[in-house]
Amino acid sequence: MMEETWVVAVRSIIAFLTLIIYTRVLGKQQMGNLTYFDYINGITIGSIAGTFATDLSSKAWIHFVALTIFTIITIIFQFITLKNRTISKLMDSDPTLVIQNGKILEQNLHKMRVKFDELTMMLRQKDVFDITTLDYAILEPNGSLSVVLKPENQPVTAKDMHMHPPKSKLMTELIIDGVLIKQNLKERNKDINWLTEQLKKQNITVQDIAFAAILPNDKLYIDLFKDQFQEKTDMGDYKGPF
């Protein structure tokens, strides 16, 4: 019994490390952006890895070979779909127009096996509560919905107002769990003296800070380990012990 436990533990570690390496080789992609082929492919690779870790009735080498071959086939298909548009469309399908000029295209919707309440849910997720404000809605191959508002319903931009706002910046992490990230400080053209001066104003040290970041407007955001609240906000309505 103890011997089997150690075998499973070792095989699990090998399967885990192999999955990390192979998924890195296959490339980065968010779960929400996976096509049906990518989704099924991920389930299959995960299933092989799970069997690799726990199936003691067969040799680990067999599962490792299967996992490797399946990954190689996936990489080959990735290159083929990059070079051949026909095969790419066969594997990933085409975007489908489901709304045009505020009208639902029922035939296309039924073809994609999407119900009306599913469509309205996806519209709400896009902050669209009035279907007549849409010019187009497109169901993407990964199942997400893209929408185009009618010109009169589109938000006004700085370009429309002939304004020239400053160039956008990103928030830069500066301190995490009381540890200063000096490289990020340098990237924002700041130095230790600047940081020391900011901390002195609030009478705190780097070790007091759980998280700090330089905001896009160059101001310093600080969250302390010991936050002081006058009153805690309770989002729930359950008064039980948990």
Side-chain angles (χ1 to χ4, degrees):
M1 184 68 178
M2 195 64 184
E3 183 180 347
E4 289 183 352
T5 302
W6 280 109
V7 172
V8 171
V10 172
R11 288 173 67 154
S12 297
I13 293 171
I14 295 173
F16 177 76
L17 295 176
T18 303
L19 272 181
I20 290 178
I21 295 171
Y22 284 177
T23 50
R24 292 286 290 178
V25 171
L26 290 174
K28 295 181 178 180
Q29 198 166 17
Q30 292 182 351
M31 285 297 296
N33 294 332
L34 294 179
T35 61
Y36 292 114
F37 173 75
D38 295 326
Y39 180 69
I40 295 172
N41 182 37
I43 291 176
T44 305
I45 291 178
S47 178
I48 294 173
T51 306
F52 178 12
T54 58
D55 186 6
L56 302 183
S57 63
S58 57
K59 295 181 180 179
W61 175 250
I62 296 174
H63 301 294
F64 182 79
V65 171
L67 190 60
T68 303
I69 291 175
F70 205 92
T71 303
I72 292 173
I73 292 173
T74 303
I75 294 173
I76 292 172
F77 265 99
Q78 285 179 340
F79 279 108
I80 291 175
T81 54
L82 284 173
K83 300 296 182 181
N84 191 306
R85 184 170 177 81
T86 302
I87 296 179
S88 175
K89 293 299 179 183
L90 181 64
M91 298 296 294
D92 297 334
S93 77
D94 278 322
T96 304
L97 188 66
V98 293
I99 294 176
Q100 182 173 355
N101 194 26
K103 301 293 184 181
I104 299 175
L105 305 180
E106 292 85 357
Q107 187 174 358
N108 290 354
L109 198 65
H110 295 159
K111 181 181 177 182
M112 300 304 296
R113 298 180 181 86
V114 176
K115 295 179 291 187
F116 286 105
D117 55 351
E118 291 175 334
L119 176 63
T120 55
M121 177 189 70
M122 289 188 284
L123 289 174
R124 290 193 298 271
Q125 291 174 340
K126 290 291 183 179
D127 293 330
V128 175
F129 297 90
D130 184 350
I131 199 170
T132 61
T133 62
L134 292 177
D135 247 346
Y136 302 100
I138 302 166
L139 193 63
E140 303 292 353
N142 64 356
S144 64
L145 190 72
S146 300
V147 298
V148 179
L149 295 172
K150 292 179 179 179
E152 62 269 23
N153 296 310
Q154 293 180 5
V156 178
T157 64
K159 184 178 179 180
D160 296 329
M161 301 294 292
H162 303 289
M163 297 171 61
H164 302 282
K167 185 178 178 180
S168 300
K169 296 180 181 179
L170 299 175
M171 184 177 74
T172 305
E173 297 173 348
L174 194 60
I175 299 172
I176 298 177
D177 289 331
V179 178
L180 173 63
I181 306 174
K182 294 182 179 179
Q183 180 181 348
N184 290 358
L185 187 66
K186 186 177 180 181
E187 285 180 0
R188 291 298 295 267
N189 298 319
K190 306 292 184 183
D191 55 22
I192 294 294
N193 293 331
W194 174 84
L195 178 61
T196 303
E197 183 180 346
Q198 298 296 317
L199 298 182
K200 279 184 178 179
K201 291 179 181 178
Q202 302 190 39
N203 195 28
I204 57 176
T205 64
V206 172
Q207 290 73 25
D208 299 325
I209 300 173
F211 178 82
I214 302 178
L215 301 177
N217 59 3
D218 282 339
K219 291 185 178 180
L220 184 64
Y221 168 83
I222 295 176
D223 183 80
L224 301 177
F225 284 110
K226 296 181 179 179
D227 292 313
Q228 300 294 329
F229 291 103
Q230 294 291 337
E231 182 179 351
K232 281 191 175 182
T233 303
D234 185 4
M235 297 295 294
D237 56 5
Y238 174 64
K239 302 301 182 182
F242 303 109

